[in-house]
Amino acid sequence: MIPDERLSEATLVNLPPTVARPTYDRACTRIGIVHLGVGAFHRAHQAAYLDALLEDAPEWAICGVSLRNPDVRDALRPQDGLYTLSLMDGGPSLRVIGALREVLCATDEREAVLARLANPDVRLLMLTVTEKGYCLADDGLDLAHADIAHDLATPEAPVSAIGYVVAGLARRRALGLPAYTVLSCDNLADNGGRLQRATVQYARGVDPALADWIDTHASFPRSMVDSITPATDAALRARVDTALGLHDAWPVQREPYTQWVVEDRFCNGRPPFERVGVLLSGDIAGHDRAKLKLLNAAHSSLAYLGILMGEETVADAMRQPLLAGFVERLMREAIAPTLDAVAGLAPDAYISAILARFRNPDIRHLLSQIAWDGSQKLPVRIFGTLRDAHAAGRPIDGLCLPVAAWLLFVRRQARAGIVLVDPMDVALREIGRACTGDAALDVDRFLALDAVFGSLAQTPAVVAELGHAYARLDADAGIADALRCGTEGGCA
Ligand code: CS2
């Protein structure tokens, strides 16, 4: 039963002692950060780090902004921005997070968002807008993207993330205020570098002098973020309401493990991150690549192969010995050898830790959630490794298997008339519907999507191996057979 009373500043005192809550006076905090993309990952990860800092550094509270959907704003505003974070490991531990002092939705509060970005207290703009939210093409900004075209025509009334980054900086420049640091917290290799190049490219289309000012005054550190965060489900909502004795309209959950590595390049001051376990580093490139290429690639592999095998969650998929064995070999034998050495990171131990996290039975992480946005995720998670492995003359059969599983997944969803959660849904489903089951022809149809596959489509060995993998997976009882081949030096 849903409790009558809502979690809020006024009801915080009614929380049972088992639920942790802010140890600082929220009224004494100031908003120093604007965060674009106030979804579950931000609230479970970065906001939790900042919550732990606010007692010592009250000037770094957050204004969370949804760029499109008012749901988070509508759920959290009546709660004064408070929500519950549940850490899942052998029984949940609950903590009410107070770092979000303001929650806005850009679609109907654009002026409030822009005014906040131009507030002198704000010195950091962070983003978790997912891969697709950056509107990137291979070589920079996707100028053909409808949102970018819209924003270039009306830069003072943006809709895209980059449009907001630049509109805020334009106001600050006009007001004679210093720029803010722009910190991408999404799963993209060189996230800061790519965002910087795209931002300056976009700004040049608005006003070349503004682009030069941004290039000189703003900074775009890279970061690596890690914590497995399953979407909020009914079980979590019920558990939280019962434990709180109050209704929380949008709790979030994550595994206890969390990591945040950030390049220490802040143009306008920064939170004392080191006090709460954020690793500040001169160069994080090795860390972000290792995480994307190992953890995220393994996740996507489990998602597409696991769904084809009828599994529902990551932990379920890891209980399939063939699949778990395949994913372990994929990481250890096919991916790890392609990674550059990273100081302080031992690949073998890192892989073992990832596998243990995937096995956590207390986390119900749906494979269908990870399967979202394959057209955006696979290029950054697997295609780079595939190119490197091929160039180094290493086996590519294991790496092609999850890619082929994605193609088959798309084909099956399309045939069943199920909409894909993917910005390329329409094009993908059209291809999926046209597929006939002839592996070589089907794979060619997908490879024609230049924005996704790029040069891979011109690499005959990859094209051929994708065809084999697709045919093996599509054959009756073929998945088990294909998984056995895995990365152990090829299949018959
Ligand atoms: C996952 C990631 O949904 C996905 O695609 O692979 O969100 C993953 O859980 C995080 O990157 C872990 O840090």
Side-chain angles (χ1 to χ4, degrees):
M1 218 180 62
I2 298 180
D4 295 336
E5 268 202 304
R6 193 80 176 259
L7 173 67
S8 71
E9 278 284 349
T11 57
L12 262 186
V13 288
N14 301 339
L15 284 179
T18 45
V19 179
R21 74 218 57 196
T23 50
Y24 49 89
D25 182 355
R26 292 185 84 216
C28 294
T29 62
R30 289 203 316 277
I31 292 175
I33 300 174
V34 174
H35 187 93
L36 303 184
V38 67
F41 185 68
H42 166 66
R43 286 185 282 138
H45 187 274
Q46 302 96 53
Y49 280 93
L50 285 148
D51 188 62
L53 262 181
L54 283 172
E55 187 163 340
D56 285 348
E59 68 277 29
W60 293 106
I62 304 171
C63 162
V65 178
S66 301
L67 287 173
R68 297 191 189 277
N69 195 322
D71 292 357
V72 175
R73 189 253 336 256
D74 295 347
L76 297 193
R77 196 173 280 173
Q79 302 183 177
D80 305 313
L82 295 168
Y83 61 92
T84 313
L85 170 63
S86 170
L87 297 190
M88 309 300 299
D89 199 9
S93 72
L94 301 178
R95 171 173 153 204
V96 170
I97 303 288
L100 282 182
R101 285 299 310 275
E102 182 175 59
V103 192
L104 302 172
C105 177
T107 47
D108 54 3
E109 294 173 306
R110 185 178 67 228
E111 184 46 39
V113 176
L114 293 172
R116 183 54 76 188
L117 286 170
N119 183 306
D121 283 348
V122 168
R123 292 185 284 155
L124 174 58
L125 171 58
M126 306 196 299
L127 300 90
T128 47
V129 291
T130 79
E131 298 86 345
K132 61 177 175 261
Y134 292 86
C135 308
L136 295 174
D138 247 4
D139 49 349
L141 193 64
D142 179 3
L143 291 168
H145 194 291
D147 293 351
I148 297 299
H150 169 278
D151 290 0
L152 282 170
T154 53
E156 66 296 334
V159 292
S160 71
I162 285 184
Y164 271 98
V165 171
V166 172
L169 287 167
R171 284 204 182 189
R172 295 177 78 96
R173 175 168 173 258
L175 290 166
L177 289 172
Y180 40 65
T181 301
V182 189
L183 178 59
S184 165
C185 301
D186 278 294
N187 285 322
L188 287 168
D190 187 20
N191 50 14
R194 296 197 75 184
L195 177 57
Q196 173 164 28
R197 290 188 290 279
T199 301
V200 173
Q201 187 185 349
Y202 169 87
R204 209 158 286 290
V206 175
D207 170 3
L210 173 64
D212 291 341
W213 185 83
I214 292 174
D215 216 11
T216 313
H217 296 285
S219 66
F220 296 77
R222 298 175 185 147
S223 78
M224 185 274 261
V225 288
D226 190 7
S227 195
I228 291 173
T229 308
T232 300
D233 53 16
L236 173 69
R237 290 177 191 279
R239 206 169 49 235
V240 166
D241 279 358
T242 305
L244 265 57
L246 296 169
H247 176 51
D248 179 348
W250 209 326
V252 295
Q253 58 185 340
R254 68 161 166 80
E255 63 174 339
Y257 178 93
T258 179
Q259 196 181 22
W260 196 3
V261 189
V262 183
E263 260 178 5
D264 198 357
R265 290 199 294 121
F266 290 75
C267 65
N268 192 0
R270 65 162 170 79
F273 278 134
E274 60 281 9
R275 291 190 207 163
V276 286
V278 178
L279 190 62
L280 291 151
S281 162
D283 176 9
I284 66 127
H287 282 96
D288 64 352
R289 297 216 160 85
K291 191 252 168 174
L292 275 169
K293 293 184 168 194
L294 288 168
L295 186 150
N296 292 114
H299 243 175
S300 292
S301 305
L302 283 169
Y304 299 120
L305 290 161
I307 289 172
L308 293 182
M309 293 173 84
E311 300 300 335
E312 205 184 351
T313 70
V314 173
D316 294 343
M318 290 297 290
R319 276 192 284 271
Q320 288 286 345
L322 276 178
L323 185 48
F326 169 76
V327 164
E328 177 162 6
R329 288 198 306 279
L330 184 72
M331 286 198 279
R332 293 200 198 277
E333 294 170 20
I335 302 176
T338 70
L339 294 173
D340 294 333
V342 183
L345 195 147
D348 269 341
Y350 186 56
I351 292 167
S352 300
I354 291 171
L355 291 166
R357 290 166 63 195
F358 286 176
R359 289 200 176 93
N360 183 346
D362 297 312
I363 295 269
R364 263 188 65 75
H365 197 186
L366 296 179
L367 297 173
S368 56
Q369 181 189 340
I370 301 169
W372 290 355
D373 290 348
S375 71
Q376 313 294 300
K377 290 175 177 174
L378 291 182
V380 286
R381 296 177 177 200
I382 300 187
F383 293 179
T385 309
L386 199 45
R387 275 190 203 99
D388 293 349
H390 175 63
R394 300 190 52 81
I396 57 167
D397 51 349
L399 290 162
C400 283
L401 207 58
V403 182
W406 175 55
L407 306 186
L408 214 49
F409 164 79
V410 170
R411 178 181 125 197
R412 292 188 183 168
Q413 300 289 100
R415 288 285 182 81
I418 301 172
V419 174
L420 294 165
V421 181
D422 195 299
M424 298 191 69
D425 166 50
V426 174
L428 286 169
R429 278 193 302 144
E430 196 176 313
I431 294 173
R433 277 197 301 270
C435 286
T436 58
D438 177 313
L441 289 179
D442 287 0
V443 165
D444 275 352
R445 288 190 172 92
F446 282 105
L447 289 176
L449 286 173
D450 201 37
V452 179
F453 291 96
S455 65
L456 280 184
Q458 277 81 56
T459 313
V462 172
V463 178
E465 189 48 48
L466 277 175
H468 288 146
Y470 184 94
R472 281 204 308 273
L473 289 172
D474 201 19
D476 284 341
I479 301 183
D481 181 41
L483 289 175
R484 255 185 222 104
C485 300
T487 57
E488 280 174 336
C491 310

